[in-house]
Amino acid sequence: MARTAGLFPASAVEVQPGAHHFPGYLSEIEQDALLADLRTIVANAPLFQPVMPRTGKPFSVRMTNCGRLGWVSDRSGYRYQATHPETGAPWPPLPDRLQRIWVDLVPGAPAPEAALINHYRSGARMGLHRDEDEDDKTVPVVSLSIGDAARFRVGGTKRGDPTRSVRLDSGDAFVLSGASRLAYHGIDRIYDGTSDRLSGGGRLNVTLRRVSVSE
Ligand code: MD6
Ligand code: FE
């Protein structure tokens, strides 16, 4: 972590204006500490299988959230809500660790309110989409990856715009801000067996979001 402190700040790669990749952002120790936080969250807010609006087609990822709000998808649409769709309970709190990472990567941004946790098994993917369900669409979105590597694709703000692909490895961070805040992006594939951080393989991605417009 510690992008801003220390003699050797992790170097960011600007993939396109406003799209920054931080390879190796989290050390192995930090990844394991985050993983322990995520396990506690999942024990309290179990992974659920969302479905697409209208069609009801299941996502290939399972998800859960922590923070005041969580992102959900069901037949009636995409939205943020304060409770788990299956247990009805409030989402677990956002761990201090995630708050510190947010401040490190996007200093000065209003505090995150939601962390969406996506779990990919072998063969899971995430179609091209924009993160646009937030009331405030100007605050950056921060993504953290743990486990097997993935091919992440990012393009422009229109669906047909050209895209480029980036490999996200365990411990990498990726930030969409500015001109890329509303860029289309998705996960084409998981590279099986590229990490042994998650027992049983697979990949976890955490995206930290500000939802509401701050005062
Ligand atoms: C994933 N990531 O990496 C999916 N990434 O599994 C995203 O959808 C995403 O919403 C970076 C910034 C914002 C995002
Ligand atoms: Fe996204």
Side-chain angles (χ1 to χ4, degrees), residues 141-172:
V141 178
V142 168
S143 132
L144 302 166
S145 296
I146 296 187
D148 282 338
R151 188 164 73 212
F152 179 72
R153 180 192 293 273
V154 59
T157 55
K158 294 195 292 294
R159 196 171 267 284
D161 288 343
T163 60
R164 62 192 84 203
S165 296
V166 177
R167 176 179 158 129
L168 296 181
D169 279 290
S170 193
D172 289 6

Side-chain angles (χ1 to χ4, degrees), residues 29-214:
I29 287 169
E30 289 167 334
Q31 291 175 53
D32 284 340
L34 176 56
L35 202 45
D37 287 348
L38 298 179
R39 287 194 206 290
T40 303
I41 290 162
V42 170
N44 289 284
L47 291 164
F48 60 94
Q49 176 125 53
V51 299
M52 292 292 289
R54 295 183 304 281
T55 64
K57 183 177 185 284
F59 283 50
S60 62
V61 300
R62 292 182 305 155
M63 43 182 74
T64 190
N65 292 268
C66 61
R68 186 173 78 76
L69 292 170
W71 187 88
V72 300
S73 177
D74 60 21
R75 279 185 178 271
S76 47
Y78 304 133
R79 65 188 171 277
Y80 284 93
Q81 65 181 41
T83 55
H84 190 288
E86 291 174 355
T87 69
W91 303 107
L94 201 87
D96 288 348
R97 184 179 314 284
L98 288 177
Q99 316 222 27
R100 290 196 301 269
I101 289 170
W102 175 267
V103 170
D104 185 53
L105 286 171
V106 290
E113 296 172 299
L116 170 64
I117 300 159
N118 285 149
H119 181 254
Y120 296 73
R121 285 189 272 222
S122 177
R125 50 187 297 282
M126 173 80 66
L128 274 188
H129 67 277
R130 305 197 299 181
D131 286 23
E132 57 183 356
D133 300 317
E134 301 72 33
D135 292 330
D136 189 331
K137 297 172 178 57
T138 67
V139 179
V141 178
V142 168
S143 132
L144 302 166
S145 296
I146 296 187
D148 282 338
R151 188 164 73 212
F152 179 72
R153 180 192 293 273
V154 59
T157 55
K158 294 195 292 294
R159 196 171 267 284
D161 288 343
T163 60
R164 62 192 84 203
S165 296
V166 177
R167 176 179 158 129
L168 296 181
D169 279 290
S170 193
D172 289 6
F174 202 96
V175 180
L176 290 179
S177 64
S180 290
R181 171 62 181 79
L182 292 172
Y184 276 91
H185 60 278
I187 294 290
D188 292 339
R189 59 165 298 191
I190 303 298
Y191 298 109
D192 294 342
T194 50
S195 166
D196 52 17
R197 192 134 249 115
L198 301 187
S199 52
R203 172 175 183 263
L204 283 169
N205 178 262
V206 181
T207 45
L208 294 166
R209 297 104 184 276
R210 175 75 192 190
V211 179
S212 58
V213 177
S214 66

